[in-house]
Amino acid sequence: MATQAETIEVPADAELLQAQADLWRHSLYYLSSMALRCAVELEIPTAIHRLGGVASLPDLMAALSLPSVKMSFLGRVMRVLVNSGVFAADNSSEYGVELYRLTPLSRVLVHGVLADEHHSQKYFVLGVTSPHYTEAALGLADWFKKDTELPVLSPFEEKFGVPLFDEKTALLDEELDSVCNQGLAAHDNLGIATILRECGDIFKGLDSLTDCCGGDGTTARALVKAYPHIKCTVLDLPKVVEKASADGVINYVAGDLFHTVPPSQVVMLKLVLHFWSDEDCVKILAQCRKAIPPREEGGKVIIIEIVVGPSLGPVMFEAQLLMDMLMMVNTRGGQRDENHWCELFKKAGFTDYKIVKKLGARSVIEVYP
């Protein structure tokens, strides 16, 4: 018996044309990412900044020492980046040429500028658009088809045989390891001044705080500068602590937060837990709970993480979902919604929590023993 041919509803003409345009956009978004990577590698944001914040295409060609035969091609890349909001552009009525300006997005890509609160995101872009990241993502379909035992390795770890942000990563590719660690540090430090301004009350009255995975102490130093009475300790791996500059202000402790967390009134986990599985998060949180006093004595854990949800609008929600995909492809962790966070807090023995404030795509959370 012949099988009956399947039928499908054909979209109306307008719907079909819109679907085609949407298909182009979604299939080709990677070219927008590659255009951004190109701009970062050429250091176009830095060039515009050094040219006084405004530059024509010929200005950029000269500043970047690019061959003149490529000028029209650079113009096409800039057109894409203007459309996506990386740069702004306007026409100079005096000279009749298009002038490019920095936007808030491209300002955070300016590199080599020493200024308070400025943390260049150059290496974040270079890391997440690197060949290793993209190759891991290209293997998603094969990764889904493969049956495996727990714990499930990320597509990155399965593809390359080593975890990301691990001591073994450098054995895979030293440049990748360096770029990713620089990108991670810049990503984590971006916005700490905003947190101190918008959520400063959560630090008032504290006598001690441990910053878990606090790196070189950038966040801890900003905290002590704003609240000199707080005794800050940074906990991180020995290889990180060895490179930290001892200044007598921050106490550095080499260790592993899975095994012990230095006792203090408050423990802070800033952009840490999204790298880890649920099981590992519970272990980390349980160690943090052991390190703090009861709630009546001011004990709490401050968590700065994404709380996934559509309440902040479609742009922020999309950013959160893409960050979750980034974690899924490259780590064993993920971004979590409020119910998911609540479940982890309970499993780790905490009694209550409060989302203090949502700042952009991230949230500041207090968790109480």
Side-chain angles (χ1 to χ4, degrees):
M1 181 178 177
T3 57
Q4 185 176 359
E6 293 183 2
T7 60
I8 187 170
E9 181 182 352
V10 178
D13 289 345
E15 293 174 329
L16 185 62
L17 294 174
Q18 183 62 54
Q20 184 184 53
D22 289 340
L23 180 64
W24 291 349
R25 288 189 306 110
H26 288 291
S27 299
L28 300 175
Y29 269 147
Y30 75 95
L31 290 174
S32 180
S33 298
M34 291 302 108
L36 176 61
R37 180 184 175 89
C38 173
V40 170
E41 288 185 311
L42 293 175
E43 298 201 339
I44 292 175
T46 305
I48 295 176
H49 172 73
R50 289 174 177 169
L51 288 167
V54 59
S56 66
L57 199 57
D59 291 335
L60 287 176
M61 296 296 293
L64 300 172
S65 300
L66 300 178
S68 59
V69 70
K70 299 291 179 64
M71 184 160 68
S72 64
F73 300 99
L74 183 63
R76 290 157 70 179
V77 170
M78 292 299 289
R79 181 170 59 184
V80 169
L81 294 174
V82 167
N83 184 66
S84 61
V86 177
F87 299 108
D90 53 61
N91 288 316
S92 169
S93 56
E94 182 178 354
Y95 299 105
V97 297
E98 193 166 39
L99 298 176
Y100 300 105
R101 302 179 187 277
L102 298 177
T103 64
L105 194 164
S106 46
R107 284 193 189 99
V108 301
L109 296 172
V110 173
H111 198 66
V113 176
L114 297 177
D116 289 343
E117 302 184 23
H118 180 74
H119 301 281
S120 170
Q121 300 301 296
K122 171 182 177 178
Y123 289 106
F124 173 80
V125 174
L126 295 181
V128 299
T129 60
S130 68
H132 287 88
Y133 275 60
T134 52
E135 193 173 343
L138 286 171
L140 263 177
D142 290 337
W143 178 80
F144 271 110
K145 294 174 185 177
K146 185 177 180 180
D147 196 8
T148 184
E149 296 180 358
L150 295 174
V152 177
L153 303 182
S154 70
F156 182 98
E157 190 173 356
E158 187 172 280
K159 174 72 178 178
F160 298 111
V162 298
L164 194 60
F165 300 112
D166 187 87
E167 292 183 354
K168 300 175 184 176
T169 311
L171 300 176
L172 169 67
D173 189 302
E174 288 187 8
E175 183 179 358
L176 172 72
D177 185 57
S178 175
V179 166
C180 289
N181 280 299
Q182 290 181 76
L184 178 64
H187 174 261
D188 288 1
N189 290 324
L190 184 69
I192 184 59
T194 302
I195 292 171
L196 292 174
R197 282 192 291 267
E198 296 291 328
C199 304
D201 287 348
I202 66 175
F203 301 106
K204 290 181 179 178
L206 301 185
D207 54 46
S208 60
L209 178 145
T210 295
D211 184 9
C212 289
C213 301
D216 65 359
T218 297
T219 295
R221 283 193 296 273
L223 182 58
V224 171
K225 183 178 179 180
Y227 302 96
H229 61 279
I230 300 178
K231 179 182 178 182
C232 274
T233 297
V234 167
L235 171 69
D236 216 313
L237 296 174
K239 68 172 186 176
V240 176
V241 171
E242 287 172 2
K243 298 178 181 178
S245 301
D247 53 12
V249 177
I250 307 300
N251 178 38
Y252 292 92
V253 175
D256 182 346
L257 77 170
F258 281 97
H259 296 102
T260 183
V261 174
S264 59
Q265 188 180 17
V266 171
V267 170
M268 182 164 69
L269 293 165
K270 180 171 64 69
L271 307 176
V272 173
L273 296 176
H274 63 260
F275 286 108
W276 301 100
S277 67
D278 286 356
E279 294 77 16
D280 285 338
C281 283
V282 171
K283 293 176 184 177
I284 292 169
L285 288 166
Q287 290 295 335
C288 293
R289 183 173 55 81
K290 292 177 183 177
I292 59 176
R295 183 175 183 178
E296 296 75 25
E297 298 176 22
K300 62 184 177 182
V301 176
I302 296 173
I303 296 174
I304 300 170
E305 283 285 1
I306 288 174
V307 178
V308 177
S311 63
L312 297 172
V315 174
M316 286 292 182
F317 188 40
E318 182 183 34
Q320 292 178 333
L321 297 179
L322 289 173
M323 288 297 287
D324 182 50
M325 284 291 293
L326 181 70
M327 293 300 102
M328 186 187 84
V329 171
N330 297 290
T331 76
R332 300 186 190 184
Q335 311 295 347
R336 300 164 172 98
D337 61 22
E338 184 173 353
N339 288 336
H340 200 159
W341 282 119
C342 180
E343 181 182 342
L344 295 182
F345 299 153
K346 289 180 179 178
K347 286 183 177 179
F350 290 91
T351 62
D352 199 7
Y353 73 96
K354 177 174 71 174
I355 297 179
V356 177
K357 195 162 189 174
K358 295 180 179 180
L359 297 172
R362 301 169 180 166
S363 294
V364 179
I365 311 168
E366 288 187 332
V367 189
Y368 311 108

